[in-house]
Amino acid sequence: MGYNPYSLDGKVLLITGAAGGIGRTTAIECSRLGASLILTDINEEGLKETLSSLEVVSGQEHRYYKIDLTEEQEIADLVENVPALDGCVCNAGVMKLTLTQFITIAEIERVQRINLIAPMLLTKYLVKRKRVKRGTSIVFTASAGGVFRVSVGNGIYATTKCGIDAFMRTVALELGPKGVRCNSVNPGMVETNLVCNGQFTEEDHRKELQNYPLGRYGQPLDVALAVIYLLSDASSWVTGTALKIDGGMTLS
């Protein structure tokens, strides 16, 4: 293989939310670049499908754990079972569109547990149990929604993404002296089950598309390749950065 600054050869990576969408595509692309992967999700069938799609060459080893990220003990147990990591992608997330007058505590707590609290706790245990080392890269999936732009009905989701972005910058500051990097990717609308599950009508999709100067929504690969940049040594001097991947949506 020729020179490739984005190679992940020999790296051990943990990816949450790997049963589909951005997480699955990221896992597949990371395996193609030589990484050994530890995958997690609550959807075991989806994890099995992702695992079967990974490339395996000499020296690579892939495995998965079915865990519920809303349970702190399951997060702690996961960390006990993983080796020191070269990278971690905190990607698992859920979305809920609700107008402010219809917000409930139950929905706030559900989305926060998965989108915000889970990655905070996972990071805590990775650091506490010394599963990060000099050169480790932690990548959080945040969102252009909330961090760079707000929209009607998106208050619960956007708040969690603003929160994880602030947490990312804090951890980058704390762990920088140890050589650990922390960054986030902030996608606009990406064609995954998360956003194509009936919460948006076809009319909504057509109308929203007018806000994208590049004339299309994102694909999981668009985000996965950005994650790979942040995991790779090509970004060795990048930390505390919220990388916007939005087809120009936030320009207006």
Side-chain angles (χ1 to χ4, degrees), residues 20-49:
I22 293 170
R24 172 178 290 176
T25 302
T26 299
I28 292 170
E29 294 303 310
C30 286
S31 74
R32 294 179 66 192
L33 288 165
S36 293
L37 302 175
I38 303 165
L39 311 177
T40 74
D41 204 292
I42 198 169
N43 178 358
E44 188 169 16
E45 288 305 310
L47 282 173
K48 290 178 179 178
E49 290 179 21

Side-chain angles (χ1 to χ4, degrees), residues 138-140 142 147-148 165 168-169 172 181-186 229-230 235 237-244:
I138 303 174
V139 182
F140 299 92
V147 178
F148 295 104
D165 202 65
M168 173 274 292
R169 296 195 301 273
R181 299 184 295 111
C182 301
N183 297 282
S184 67
V185 290
N186 294 259
Y229 163 68
L230 293 173
S235 61
W237 207 48
V238 178
T239 195
T241 294
L243 181 57
K244 196 164 41 169

Side-chain angles (χ1 to χ4, degrees), residues 9-250:
D9 191 43
K11 293 184 184 293
V12 178
L13 309 176
L14 171 65
I15 302 176
T16 73
I22 293 170
R24 172 178 290 176
T25 302
T26 299
I28 292 170
E29 294 303 310
C30 286
S31 74
R32 294 179 66 192
L33 288 165
S36 293
L37 302 175
I38 303 165
L39 311 177
T40 74
D41 204 292
I42 198 169
N43 178 358
E44 188 169 16
E45 288 305 310
L47 282 173
K48 290 178 179 178
E49 290 179 21
T50 301
L51 192 69
S52 68
S53 302
L54 302 181
E55 290 195 13
V56 183
V57 297
S58 178
Q60 283 180 291
E61 180 183 352
H62 309 310
R63 64 184 188 271
Y64 76 82
Y65 294 93
K66 177 189 175 184
I67 71 166
D68 183 350
L69 288 173
T70 66
E71 297 294 333
E72 182 175 1
Q73 189 59 53
E74 293 196 29
I75 295 173
D77 291 344
L78 168 69
V79 172
E80 289 296 327
N81 286 296
V82 303
L85 301 171
D86 298 289
C88 176
V89 184
C90 295
N91 172 74
V94 294
M95 188 173 189
K96 178 65 177 179
L97 291 178
T98 307
L99 292 174
T100 300
Q101 63 264 39
F102 302 119
I103 287 175
T104 66
I105 291 177
E107 282 297 338
I108 292 173
E109 291 178 344
R110 183 181 74 89
V111 178
Q112 282 191 339
R113 290 293 302 179
I114 298 171
N115 291 7
L116 179 58
I117 297 173
M120 292 177 73
L121 290 176
L122 177 57
T123 305
K124 165 195 167 177
Y125 282 107
L126 289 175
V127 174
K128 190 173 182 178
R129 304 300 185 200
K130 296 181 170 56
R131 297 305 194 265
V132 295
K133 56 189 178 181
R134 183 165 290 276
T136 297
S137 172
I138 303 174
V139 182
F140 299 92
T141 301
S143 175
V147 178
F148 295 104
R149 179 191 174 195
V150 294
S151 57
V152 172
N154 206 24
I156 297 176
Y157 177 83
T159 299
T160 64
K161 294 306 183 179
C162 286
I164 202 60
D165 202 65
F167 178 70
M168 173 274 292
R169 296 195 301 273
T170 302
V171 178
L173 189 62
E174 291 179 359
L175 300 185
K178 298 181 179 181
V180 177
R181 299 184 295 111
C182 301
N183 297 282
S184 67
V185 290
N186 294 259
M189 184 82 79
V190 177
E191 298 283 5
T192 68
N193 288 337
L194 184 63
V195 297
C196 300
N197 60 1
Q199 294 198 61
F200 296 95
T201 66
E202 285 299 321
E203 184 180 352
D204 290 334
H205 271 73
R206 287 193 298 271
K207 183 178 180 180
E208 177 65 14
L209 188 59
Q210 298 174 15
N211 296 319
Y212 288 76
L214 290 183
R216 69 173 178 89
Y217 292 128
Q219 296 298 317
L221 183 61
D222 295 315
V223 184
L225 295 178
V227 172
I228 286 169
Y229 163 68
L230 293 173
L231 290 171
S232 75
D233 294 341
S235 61
S236 62
W237 207 48
V238 178
T239 195
T241 294
L243 181 57
K244 196 164 41 169
I245 313 164
D246 70 345
M249 179 265 291
T250 56

